[in-house]
Amino acid sequence: MLPGAPIVASKIGPPKFVVSPVVRVDLESRIPSDAKVISIVAPPGYGKTVLAERIHATCPPGTAAWLSVDLLDRWPFSFWSHLLAALQGTTAGVDDDPLEILTQRGSDAPGFVAALCAQLLRSPAPITLVLDDADRVDDPDVLAGLEFLVERSADRLRLVVTGRVDPALPLARWRSRGQLFEVREADLRFDRSTARRFVDARAPGVLDVEDIDALTDRVEGWPMGLQVAVLVAGEAEVPSEAVRVLTGTHRQIADYVTDEVLESLSTTERDVALGLSVLEWFDLALCGTVLGDDALPVVRDLLDRQLLVVSAGGYRFHDLIRELLEAELRWRDGSRHDRLHRRAADALIARGDPFSAARHLAAVGDHARAGEAIAAHALAVVDRGQVSELRRALAALPSDLALDDPETIIDVAIAQLMVGRRSESRVWVERAIGQTAPGDRRVADRLVTLRLAERALFGDVATTLALLEESERGGVRPEDGWNMASRHDLVVARSAVHLHLPDAAQRVDVARRSLAPDVVVETVVPALEALVAIELGDLAGALRSSAHSTASAKGLSSDEHPAMYESLLAAGWCALGLGELDRAREYADRSRAHPLAAFPTFEVEAGVLSATTLTTSGDPAAALALLDQIDASARHADFLRSDVVVARARALTAVRRWEEAVALLAGEPDGPRRNAALAWCLLRLGRHSEALALVSSVESWPSHRRIEAMLVAAMLVDGEECEARLADAVELAERSGWVAPLLGHGSDVTAALASVRAADRVASRPSVRSRPAVDLTEREMTLLELLPTHLSYRQMGQQLYVSVNTIKSNLKSIYRKLGAGTRDEAIRAARDCGLLGDDLTVR
């Protein structure tokens, strides 16, 4: 023991862990053997000491020393006393010379560090010295002494330092010399694989893999957070439920953060950290607005302390730590907590970020203002593609939110519809109805638009028809100041198409002149036209319209945009019609995942497309299972009952349950789709005369239904007559482009078609491929006819009585629309699109 300096023995040895820590073999194996200095820096609870202890433990016996630095070591004499005691605990051969110099002359004597260095150089084996919490060393003379030891001890000393921030040692110099190996927070953070090993070691069998992964994601790989969470889950009656409800208010985790994070901060740093906890993300401008410009320098200190994560354009806390800090702020000063949230809300509204503002308002119970902020900007945000943001903002509103303004209530109801919140939208629509005064025509007109959209989505044909009649009789035209006013015609057209109304095509034509944003109109209207064309059997027309819709949809931000649903559905039916089954399945899956597919009408439509594709692809069992899933919605959307019944009957036929299929179809009204499906069932049951009666007069049927009928008729006869009828069916398929009617009817039909080379003939036909839609003006079409000629621009102008500049301007527009860069490329593209024939004529 040194005179006047009692040695704390617990400081000069690695800690004893109550529970065996997880061995980080992945990190240990990365540490180079020739690293002169190993720096392990991360926030609290990331396992810095655990890794340092492993390095210490893997050293040969007698070659490793440990010193846990604490507040006592701010006194240089105490620090060096403990360091010498730690070294003397090894076989390094450190004798009493440095001790005598330290005792007699003090730690600042020139000879002390030199004597210690000489002792290390004479050591028989290299020594590893671990300084745990080395960032607490702040005395300049001590730091200079450590620097001298590292740089003058040749290969006899390896220094390992841990800390929450970089120690004040010349790390940059050692890094540039290749002497430094660094371990940071990102290296220590648990990935899912490490977390699973950790949990299995702590609580084997308590949590399944999915719960462990969810817990790891929840704490963002924070080892201490995971450890405490596992303790919480292990003590719970239902561990998996404890994982789901784990929040920042849990006392065990909160106590850890309070002790290890807050108590290590100065009063100013603690005040800023607690204040910033109300912000999920912030930049310096927002920080200054909410907390004042005086807080800005402190942000740099918090970064140095590894408490803030740098993200794109700003900063944030680790999510779990932020929640814990906010809980602490709420407990310490509730009025400040609420005041900062309101200040943040005002700042974000001024920035044009109403949804983030709404979350701040909801956090302090100002739900009415939060609802108003959401409702006022919902449509604009959706048009920017931020559907998930809108859904998240709406979820923050309580179900019993009281709003007095019927116009705001209508806007909230529309927002709920757009993000697919089915039950919530119904509640808000009922509130809107109840809040609308009988004589308020302005609000009543808005309510008609809302109810049209909502009732069509729910499949309520009778009410939708009544609303359409009211709209036309009363001249409903919501005023332009309302955000949905420009979309009224689109709402009407979508309702008409999805409800299969007889005048759907006319209503779609009206919607083309809608004042909604161009990208919405150009996506929805051609998609609706394609769906109408599919019903009529016009595959070529459907392909043109669908291609136009798909091209326009690229201007939307994501599949979640409300305008995307019809585009996906139309593309799926077109791909199925062409026999492109993989592509059809892709579009069917995407349409089923759309938010609007939460409502009965769209769920059933997307489900029927998916089931039909599955049956045609040879998986009727999966089709039947899917149809069972949408059965409840099909009962709501009764007008789609026939679609569901036919899809189910086709799947039943494919699994040889013909009697069930016949019984299903018997109750359906007479028509091409039902009769074609029923004819196949009767054919398989041997009831040939009944089958023939159903397909004997099909001249007026849409082409895809007629092709099926011709196949059935062909299978009812033998020999040359069968081949002749099959050839007629294939010839019609070639002319119309339909491939799907030839598929999925069984191996005997496939073999029969192969005999007339049906598959080859149809697949090789260019017209069955989707052609991109290109809309040219009348003048551009006239000019397009002249491109394959040898006329110059001047001669074209003379022929069309326009200037050369006008010709060039129009050609530039044509090239852009065709995606061409030269005259030859434009000619080829126009022929591919069907705008020019090989004989130079415009189609």
Side-chain angles (χ1 to χ4, degrees):
M1 181 181 296
L2 297 175
I7 301 300
V8 180
S10 60
K11 287 167 52 65
I12 58 174
K16 305 298 182 184
F17 298 105
V18 177
V19 180
S20 298
V22 170
V23 177
R24 300 298 301 273
V25 178
D26 54 330
L27 286 179
E28 294 177 35
S29 63
R30 288 167 46 196
I31 300 175
S33 59
D34 59 348
K36 184 77 172 173
V37 180
I38 300 171
S39 172
I40 308 172
V41 177
Y46 272 85
K48 303 181 293 294
T49 301
V50 171
L51 181 59
E53 190 278 334
R54 285 292 304 165
I55 296 172
H56 181 278
T58 54
C59 293
T63 65
W66 182 286
L67 174 60
S68 296
V69 181
D70 55 29
L71 293 178
L72 292 175
D73 299 313
R74 301 191 70 167
W75 180 34
F77 189 89
S78 176
F79 174 82
W80 289 115
S81 298
H82 283 104
L83 180 64
L84 289 170
L87 289 171
Q88 285 184 324
T90 70
T91 59
V94 175
D95 58 22
D96 293 338
D97 288 348
L99 301 179
E100 292 179 2
I101 297 174
L102 176 64
T103 305
Q104 295 174 8
R105 306 181 192 176
S107 59
D108 56 348
F112 165 64
V113 176
L116 178 56
C117 185
Q119 296 279 316
L120 295 174
L121 287 170
R122 290 196 295 268
S123 172
I127 296 174
T128 296
L129 172 61
V130 178
L131 295 182
D132 196 23
D133 290 331
D135 54 325
R136 293 182 175 181
V137 178
D138 57 6
D139 183 84
D141 291 335
V142 171
L143 293 167
L146 288 173
E147 177 184 346
F148 182 89
L149 288 177
V150 170
E151 298 199 346
R152 299 302 176 88
S153 59
D155 62 347
R156 298 291 90 183
L157 178 67
R158 178 173 66 161
L159 181 65
V160 179
V161 293
T162 74
R164 299 180 181 181
V165 298
D166 287 333
L169 291 167
L171 300 182
R173 185 197 309 157
W174 296 337
R175 185 184 299 117
S176 66
R177 294 176 180 174
Q179 296 175 318
L180 175 67
F181 180 78
E182 297 177 273
V183 179
R184 297 283 182 178
E185 174 186 344
D187 305 303
L188 293 165
R189 185 179 293 120
F190 282 1
D191 58 18
R192 287 184 170 185
S193 175
T194 307
R196 291 171 190 171
R197 291 192 290 111
F198 178 90
V199 175
D200 287 342
R202 296 295 184 283
V206 171
L207 298 174
D208 59 27
V209 171
E210 290 75 14
D211 286 333
I212 297 172
D213 290 347
L215 197 53
T216 305
D217 295 342
R218 176 71 182 88
V219 301
E220 295 188 46
W222 182 30
M224 180 53 69
L226 184 63
Q227 179 167 325
V228 177
V230 169
L231 292 174
V232 172
E235 295 170 357
E237 292 185 12
V238 184
S240 59
E241 184 64 24
V243 171
R244 284 191 287 273
V245 301
L246 176 69
T247 67
T249 58
H250 197 281
R251 201 63 251 166
Q252 285 178 281
I253 303 180
D255 287 344
Y256 179 85
V257 170
T258 300
D259 293 342
E260 296 293 328
V261 177
L262 284 183
E263 297 307 323
S264 69
L265 301 177
S266 68
T267 302
T268 302
E269 289 170 336
R270 184 183 304 121
D271 181 72
V272 171
L274 289 171
L276 288 174
S277 68
V278 303
L279 301 171
E280 294 181 2
W281 171 95
F282 65 92
D283 53 29
L284 294 180
L286 184 58
C287 173
T289 301
V290 176
L291 296 184
D293 291 339
D294 291 345
L296 300 182
V298 184
V299 171
R300 176 60 58 188
D301 295 335
L302 295 176
L303 282 169
D304 289 341
R305 289 180 174 273
Q306 307 269 330
L307 289 183
L308 291 175
V309 178
V310 180
S311 57
Y315 312 96
R316 69 176 182 88
F317 284 106
H318 178 298
D319 284 345
L320 191 57
I321 290 179
R322 188 198 66 76
E323 292 177 15
L324 294 166
L325 290 174
E326 186 179 4
E328 193 72 22
L329 172 63
R330 192 184 297 110
W331 176 76
R332 292 187 180 203
D333 191 345
S335 62
R336 184 186 183 219
H337 169 268
D338 292 358
R339 187 169 62 253
L340 292 177
H341 268 298
R342 292 182 185 278
R343 196 177 295 169
D346 292 339
L348 290 166
I349 287 175
R351 284 186 172 203
D353 188 359
F355 291 175
S356 296
R359 290 197 293 274
H360 285 284
L361 293 168
V364 296
D366 193 350
H367 295 109
R369 191 176 168 211
E372 291 167 0
I374 293 169
H377 300 86
L379 200 60
V381 171
V382 166
D383 280 342
R384 293 199 298 267
Q386 298 170 315
V387 177
S388 297
E389 289 248 352
L390 175 57
R391 186 183 298 110
R392 182 182 174 193
L394 290 169
L397 299 179
S399 57
D400 59 348
L401 172 62
L403 291 175
D404 298 326
D405 178 23
E407 296 179 18
T408 301
I409 294 173
I410 288 174
D411 284 341
V412 173
I414 288 173
Q416 301 280 12
L417 287 174
M418 287 188 292
V419 301
R421 303 188 81 209
R422 175 173 169 175
S423 58
E424 293 86 350
S425 67
R426 186 85 283 269
V427 170
W428 283 95
V429 170
E430 291 298 329
R431 288 183 187 175
I433 294 172
Q435 290 282 354
T436 302
D440 192 339
R441 177 61 187 272
R442 179 168 173 269
V443 176
D445 283 354
R446 293 187 179 192
L447 189 59
V448 169
T449 301
L450 165 63
R451 295 188 67 205
L452 265 174
E454 188 259 352
R455 288 293 83 198
L457 284 169
F458 274 94
D460 183 351
V461 180
T463 305
T464 303
L465 289 173
L467 289 166
L468 284 171
E469 184 179 346
E470 178 183 344
S471 173
E472 293 169 351
R473 184 178 63 249
V476 170
R477 185 65 55 184
E479 75 287 353
D480 290 341
W482 184 44
N483 57 13
M484 277 293 288
S486 63
R487 303 171 197 240
H488 179 79
D489 290 334
L490 272 181
V491 171
V492 171
R494 293 176 92 169
S495 302
V497 171
H498 292 295
L499 299 183
H500 299 328
L501 300 185
D503 60 348
Q506 290 86 342
R507 295 185 184 275
V508 172
D509 188 55
V510 171
R512 181 171 288 284
R513 297 183 289 278
S514 168
L515 298 177
D518 289 346
V519 68
V520 173
V521 175
E522 293 302 314
T523 299
V524 175
V525 171
L528 294 176
E529 290 174 337
L531 292 172
V532 172
I534 288 286
E535 285 294 311
L536 298 175
D538 179 11
L539 182 59
L543 288 170
R544 286 193 295 271
S545 296
S546 178
H548 190 115
S549 174
T550 300
S552 179
K554 293 178 181 178
L556 303 175
S557 54
S558 73
D559 278 6
E560 288 194 323
H561 195 291
M564 277 293 293
Y565 174 78
E566 284 89 1
S567 185
L568 294 170
L569 192 70
W573 280 114
C574 286
L576 179 60
L578 293 169
E580 298 174 357
L581 302 182
D582 288 341
R583 209 157 61 89
R585 276 195 295 272
E586 175 195 343
Y587 283 120
D589 290 343
R590 288 168 64 186
S591 62
R592 290 180 61 213
H594 192 280
L596 291 180
F599 293 94
T601 297
F602 285 9
E603 182 185 3
V604 172
E605 286 181 328
V608 168
L609 168 61
S610 190
T612 305
T613 303
L614 287 167
T615 299
T616 307
S617 303
D619 194 357
L624 289 170
L626 175 57
L627 291 168
D628 288 340
Q629 291 177 22
I630 65 172
D631 186 63
S633 291
R635 287 195 292 272
H636 280 285
D638 188 59
F639 68 97
L640 292 172
R641 179 177 181 275
S642 181
D643 296 354
V644 176
V645 166
V646 170
R648 186 181 294 277
R650 291 186 181 280
L652 289 171
T653 301
V655 296
R656 307 172 71 84
R657 291 161 60 181
W658 302 313
E659 294 286 0
E660 291 181 56
V662 170
L664 265 180
L665 293 168
E668 291 303 301
D670 185 68
R673 177 170 44 192
R674 174 261 192 186
N675 289 354
L678 181 56
W680 282 114
C681 301
L682 296 173
L683 170 65
R684 297 306 184 189
L685 287 169
R687 295 158 63 176
H688 291 181
S689 59
E690 295 174 72
L692 185 60
L694 290 171
V695 296
S696 57
S697 299
V698 298
E699 291 77 13
S700 62
W701 285 17
S703 55
H704 52 325
R705 309 300 177 201
R706 194 156 77 250
I707 292 167
E708 273 200 271
M710 294 167 72
L711 280 184
V712 175
M715 299 307 293
L716 291 171
V717 295
D718 300 316
E720 293 182 0
E721 186 178 359
C722 174
E723 290 188 5
R725 293 189 178 188
L726 287 174
D728 289 342
V730 171
E731 193 275 331
L732 177 56
E734 288 181 321
R735 281 191 286 110
S736 63
W738 286 99
V739 176
L742 303 175
L743 306 176
H745 301 299
S747 57
D748 56 337
V749 178
T750 302
L753 285 169
S755 68
V756 294
R757 302 183 62 193
D760 290 343
R761 293 168 64 184
V762 174
S764 64
R765 187 178 185 274
S767 64
V768 304
R769 294 192 300 271
S770 175
R771 289 173 169 173
V774 179
D775 284 343
L776 301 182
T777 65
E778 184 175 348
R779 171 172 287 178
E780 289 169 348
M781 291 288 287
T782 303
L783 180 56
L784 181 66
E785 291 185 276
L786 301 179
L787 284 186
T789 69
H790 296 291
L791 295 177
S792 67
Y793 292 166
R794 182 174 300 278
Q795 290 170 324
M796 290 180 187
Q798 292 172 347
Q799 186 166 328
L800 298 177
Y801 302 100
V802 296
S803 68
V804 172
N805 287 336
T806 299
I807 292 293
K808 290 180 178 179
S809 175
N810 287 335
L811 284 175
K812 184 181 295 184
S813 175
I814 292 173
Y815 289 179
R816 176 179 54 79
K817 291 180 180 180
L818 291 172
T822 66
R823 185 170 179 171
D824 287 342
E825 288 178 1
I827 294 170
R828 286 194 297 271
R831 285 172 175 162
D832 288 342
C833 293
L835 296 173
L836 278 179
D838 293 335
D839 57 356
L840 309 187
T841 60
V842 177
R843 293 182 181 176

